[in-house]
């Protein structure tokens, strides 16, 4: 047998240490694996929760509404009276082409189709498709067919716009 140099065991120990440390290559070539390799986990897509239906139908929201908003709960009654006074210049919520309602998104001048959807705890929301209660939704605080109170879910937007009160305007004569 030939003579083993004193550097041989040191180099072998270094290569083994690098291999065990998880380095896949050394100087441009791959190191052999001495143990069973663990396969990469297969990414699993999170399950999308099904949309919860709203207890309010879009057809119940379509129509002419007087609108006003408040920031303090004690101003709600006064705001409702102010909204009723706006029926001479009503806010019109139209029927959307896909079964939703046409409303303005915050800070935009183009109407967009939004959908009524349910959420946890029996709450109702108006917003784009997706689970109810998302940041770009409005929560239906109350609705009795004549008065609808909406609050933006996004706290920053809610802080600017307040809680909206919609009072149904009488049908045109």
């Amino acid at each position: 047998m030939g003579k083993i140099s004193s550097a041989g065991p040191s180099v072998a120990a270094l290569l083994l240490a690098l291999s065990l440390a998880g380095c896949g290559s050394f100087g441009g070539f791959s190191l052999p694996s001495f143990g069973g390799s663990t396969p990469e986990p297969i990414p699993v897509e999170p399950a999308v929760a099904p949309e919860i239906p709203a207890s309010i139908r879009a057809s119940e929201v379509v129509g002419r509404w007087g609108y006003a908003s408040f920031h303090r709960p004690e101003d709600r009654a006064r705001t409702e009276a102010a909204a009723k006074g706006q029926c001479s210049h009503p806010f019109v919520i139209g029927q959307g082409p896909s079964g939703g309602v046409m409303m303005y998104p915050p800070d935009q001048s183009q109407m967009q189709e939004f959908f009524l959807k349910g959420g946890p705890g029996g709450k109702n929301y108006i917003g784009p498709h997706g689970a109810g209660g998302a940041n770009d939704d409005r929560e239906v605080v109350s609705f009795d067919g004549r008065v609808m109170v909406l609050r933006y879910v996004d706290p920053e937007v809610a802080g600017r716009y307040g809680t909206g009160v919609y009072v149904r305007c009488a049908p045109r004569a």
Side-chain angles (χ1 to χ4, degrees):
M1 293 257 178
K3 183 176 175 186
I4 298 178
S5 107
S6 63
S10 298
V11 172
L14 176 64
L15 290 175
L16 179 61
L18 288 173
S19 177
L20 292 175
C23 296
S25 66
F26 181 72
F29 65 93
S30 294
L31 297 174
S33 174
F34 294 108
S37 64
T38 305
E40 288 291 319
I42 299 173
V44 177
E45 293 292 323
V48 177
E51 288 187 21
I52 301 170
S55 62
I56 303 167
R57 294 185 314 271
S59 61
E60 295 177 281
V61 175
V62 170
R64 298 170 51 244
W65 299 85
Y67 173 79
S69 68
F70 64 89
H71 288 276
R72 299 179 325 186
E74 59 268 18
D75 293 337
R76 180 176 170 168
R78 180 186 56 77
T79 304
E80 190 173 321
K84 187 174 185 178
Q86 291 297 312
C87 281
S88 58
H89 304 287
F91 179 81
V92 178
I93 298 177
Q95 181 72 49
S98 301
V101 294
M102 298 300 292
M103 297 179 76
Y104 291 102
D107 306 323
Q108 301 210 9
S109 61
Q110 287 287 355
M111 284 192 148
Q112 179 179 329
E113 185 171 18
F114 292 112
F115 300 90
L116 282 105
K117 50 195 179 175
K123 293 182 179 181
N124 288 293
Y125 297 91
I126 298 176
H129 275 300
N135 222 29
D136 49 358
D137 287 345
R138 297 171 213 196
E139 178 185 350
V140 180
V141 177
S142 66
F143 178 76
D144 66 6
R146 187 185 73 78
V147 177
M148 177 171 62
V149 179
L150 303 178
R151 176 178 45 231
Y152 286 95
V153 172
D154 183 331
E156 191 274 326
V157 176
R160 288 187 286 122
Y161 284 92
T163 300
V165 178
Y166 297 77
V167 175
R168 190 173 297 278
C169 299
R172 291 182 181 159

